[in-house]
Amino acid sequence: MRWLLPALFLGITSLVEALNSKGDYRLLVVLEELAEKSKYSKYIADLEERGFSLTFESPKNEKVALFHLGERAYDHVLILPSKSKGLGPNLTPKLLLDFINGGGNIMLTLSSSVPTPSSLVSLLLELDIHLPTDRNALVVDHFNYDTLTASEEHDVVLLPRPDAIRPDVKNFFKGDGKGGDVIAFPRGVGQTLGNASPLLTPILRAPRSAYSYNPKDDVEGVEDPFAVGPQLSLITTMQARNSARFTVIGSAEMLEDKWFDAKVKRSVGLGGVGTDAKTVPTVNQEFVKEVTGWTFGEIGVIQVFNIEHYLNEDGVKSNITNPKIYRVKNDVTYNIEIREYFWDRYRPFVPPAGDSIQLEFSMLSPFHRLPLRYVKTPSGWGQYTASFKLPDQHGIFNFKVNYKRPFYTNIEEKNTVTVRHFAHDEWPRSWVISGAWPWIAGIGVTVAGWVAFVALWLWSKPVPLKLTTSGKKVQ
């Protein structure tokens, strides 16, 4: 029975740790008309099944607040389209930015049928995300539209699942990876991204034949569209340096029930693609779940669970872990355990193919930059390790792991140690150093010569003096 209580305590601790890994579950839904809640019933039910505690508030409610006593009152915010020109004094761009800086996540949805409030336009400009100057502008595509619901307007754009932005970046939005999935983007607003922010990453871009225009204008007279093709980002993400996440979904209708299980049929595209298209269901529900899961920290979350470094002279591990001081030219080993939280559980983190985690041993600049190698451990979680020899330079150094990749939370771990020079009794003896032998021989010859001189002086008999009869010395 003695082991039962510790095991129970360990199980409860693991459960609490898993629950807190993706933050808490307090989600504020900003919805102007509660009657529109029914349009998102499936999406809301899915959030509640995943453990989120939803609070619905109107932007007109003056009591809504993102902070209470200086702390975040909510962990996530979902902003649905609002007809108001602003979101009130408690949802200003500054407060929303403060919410992000405090570690909160925000998902913003737009709609071409409802002009975006000026406060949200200002917020997006702060993040270098630009919307069309025409408040009613939407994205159309005359070659990739749904013939069942947009045979004339061509404003329901059909797209495949997005590819990875780079080969060495993991794609969390590819579904099962089999291909053939269709995403419906109905009557959405496209965005363009500035070049100044490295924190912005588009999830879904418009096809090359799409463009943004105001439906009130003459379609045939569009000469200078806001943006065309892949210049238009349909879903944009921003991950701050504190790993808080912000997502802009250009079409709020993607979250509605009617598009979760809608049937669509693709038009004839460029080069006759789609002439034999069939009616297929959309994957909006699965895709929106992935986007929401990433925004609210259910996927793409990596955490450091253990760091250790120690002496490893001649392959023998020291019993002292994480010492504060080393000596120059010591052999050391650095280990770090990283886990990835994926939906509802932890799993060992493995970087995508072509990517690696690096360790820096630096003072002002790195003296070593080494790739960390993954090794299995008895616990099953594995760890990343590197062994190296410290530089011949004493001072204050840092073991630093700085891993920042799109769609993953940032890891920046720094452990400071002191590297001292050799102590007087740690230098190798002079007779071991072959270069010192001539000097040792010189010292020996000098000592031997001095001893010989002293011996000769002490044991040599002095010459007796000759004296005259008068007592004077004779030369």
Side-chain angles (χ1 to χ4, degrees):
M1 293 297 291
R2 291 182 178 179
W3 59 268
L4 183 60
L5 186 58
L8 181 61
F9 176 76
L10 180 61
I12 295 175
T13 303
S14 302
L15 178 60
V16 172
E17 184 181 70
L19 290 176
N20 289 337
S21 64
K22 56 181 178 181
D24 302 306
Y25 294 88
R26 300 170 299 175
L27 172 60
L28 172 64
V29 182
V30 181
L31 181 63
E32 186 171 15
E33 301 292 341
L34 293 180
E36 297 182 356
K37 180 180 175 181
S38 59
K39 296 194 301 184
Y40 308 99
S41 60
K42 292 183 179 180
Y43 178 66
I44 292 172
D46 182 57
L47 289 174
E48 291 175 340
E49 289 178 1
R50 281 146 56 188
F52 288 93
S53 175
L54 277 63
T55 301
F56 293 87
E57 294 288 353
S58 171
K60 300 178 182 179
N61 185 359
E62 296 182 355
K63 294 183 179 180
V64 62
L66 299 177
F67 298 91
H68 179 67
L69 299 178
E71 298 293 332
R72 286 186 289 110
Y74 302 94
D75 304 291
H76 318 287
V77 174
L78 170 61
I79 303 177
L80 296 172
S82 173
K83 297 179 182 179
S84 304
K85 294 183 179 180
L87 296 181
N90 294 324
L91 295 173
T92 61
K94 182 182 183 305
L95 289 175
L96 292 173
L97 287 176
D98 290 341
F99 185 78
I100 295 175
N101 292 331
N105 305 313
I106 298 177
M107 189 164 78
L108 170 64
T109 61
L110 306 176
S111 176
S112 61
S113 59
V114 179
T116 305
S118 56
S119 60
L120 294 180
V121 175
S122 300
L123 172 65
L124 295 177
L125 288 176
E126 289 285 343
L127 303 177
D128 212 4
I129 302 174
H130 305 270
L131 299 181
T133 54
D134 295 329
R135 295 298 183 91
N136 295 318
L138 52 79
V139 178
V140 297
D141 191 335
H142 303 301
F143 296 94
N144 299 283
Y145 63 90
D146 178 27
T147 58
L148 300 181
T149 59
S151 59
E152 296 182 1
E153 294 83 3
H154 303 173
D155 54 3
V156 178
V157 182
L158 302 182
L159 307 100
R161 282 184 175 271
D163 296 325
I165 60 173
R166 293 200 314 259
D168 60 340
V169 173
K170 186 172 182 179
N171 186 2
F172 289 98
F173 314 103
K174 65 178 181 179
D176 56 12
K178 297 180 180 179
D181 294 340
V182 177
I183 300 172
F185 186 81
R187 290 169 284 278
V189 180
Q191 314 110 48
T192 58
L193 311 182
N195 297 323
S197 177
L199 306 177
L200 295 175
T201 306
I203 292 180
L204 191 65
R205 288 189 179 272
R208 58 184 179 136
S209 54
Y211 62 93
S212 176
Y213 92 108
N214 190 339
K216 296 181 180 180
D217 298 334
D218 185 7
V219 177
E220 297 180 357
V222 178
E223 297 180 355
D224 189 16
F226 170 69
V228 297
Q231 295 175 345
L232 287 167
S233 175
L234 306 182
I235 299 180
T236 305
T237 63
M238 189 279 297
Q239 181 168 271
R241 290 181 174 85
N242 63 351
S243 295
R245 294 170 172 178
F246 179 83
T247 300
V248 182
I249 297 181
S251 173
E253 290 189 42
M254 293 183 68
L255 281 62
E256 295 182 4
D257 296 348
K258 65 179 180 180
W259 289 106
F260 272 16
D261 53 4
K263 302 287 186 178
V264 294
K265 184 177 181 181
R266 182 182 173 180
S267 62
V268 178
L270 294 173
V273 177
T275 52
D276 56 347
K278 299 179 181 179
T279 302
V280 295
T282 66
V283 293
N284 280 29
Q285 185 168 8
E286 294 81 3
F287 180 69
V288 168
K289 178 182 178 180
E290 294 165 356
V291 174
T292 305
W294 181 87
T295 305
F296 296 155
E298 295 177 281
I299 56 177
V301 177
I302 51 178
Q303 294 178 335
V304 176
F305 275 75
N306 184 44
I307 294 177
E308 63 177 9
H309 52 86
Y310 51 84
L311 280 173
N312 192 18
E313 299 284 355
D314 300 325
V316 179
K317 178 181 177 180
S318 172
N319 294 327
I320 301 176
T321 303
N322 300 335
K324 294 297 182 181
I325 187 169
Y326 287 101
R327 194 206 68 212
V328 296
K329 295 186 176 181
N330 271 150
D331 293 321
V332 300
T333 296
Y334 179 90
N335 299 326
I336 182 171
E337 180 184 323
I338 304 176
R339 302 181 192 177
E340 178 183 1
Y341 190 81
F342 189 76
W343 292 115
D344 58 353
R345 68 186 188 280
Y346 279 107
R347 64 184 184 184
F349 172 66
V350 179
D355 191 15
S356 64
I357 305 175
Q358 292 183 332
L359 168 68
E360 289 184 359
F361 189 72
S362 61
M363 188 184 291
L364 295 177
S365 59
F367 279 69
H368 289 289
R369 184 178 285 123
L370 307 168
L372 289 167
R373 179 173 51 90
Y374 180 78
V375 295
K376 294 183 178 180
T377 57
S379 63
W381 292 110
Q383 64 184 9
Y384 291 88
T385 182
S387 299
F388 62 98
K389 185 181 291 292
L390 297 182
D392 190 7
Q393 172 69 46
H394 65 277
I396 306 299
F397 285 82
N398 296 306
F399 292 100
K400 187 175 182 180
V401 175
N402 188 7
Y403 186 80
K404 296 177 180 177
R405 299 295 186 274
F407 303 123
Y408 274 120
T409 51
N410 299 326
I411 289 181
E412 189 170 0
E413 295 290 336
K414 184 170 69 173
N415 300 88
T416 303
V417 296
T418 300
V419 178
R420 62 174 177 83
H421 51 66
F422 281 97
H424 292 294
D425 58 351
E426 291 179 326
W427 293 99
R429 296 305 177 185
S430 56
W431 56 79
V432 179
I433 305 173
S434 60
W437 291 349
W439 308 99
I440 296 175
I443 294 173
V445 170
T446 302
V447 172
W450 173 253
V451 172
F453 171 76
V454 172
L456 181 64
W457 175 265
L458 292 177
W459 280 280
S460 295
K461 183 178 180 181
V463 179
L465 297 175
K466 296 180 179 180
L467 301 176
T468 61
T469 55
S470 61
K472 293 183 180 180
K473 296 179 180 178
V474 178
Q475 297 296 332

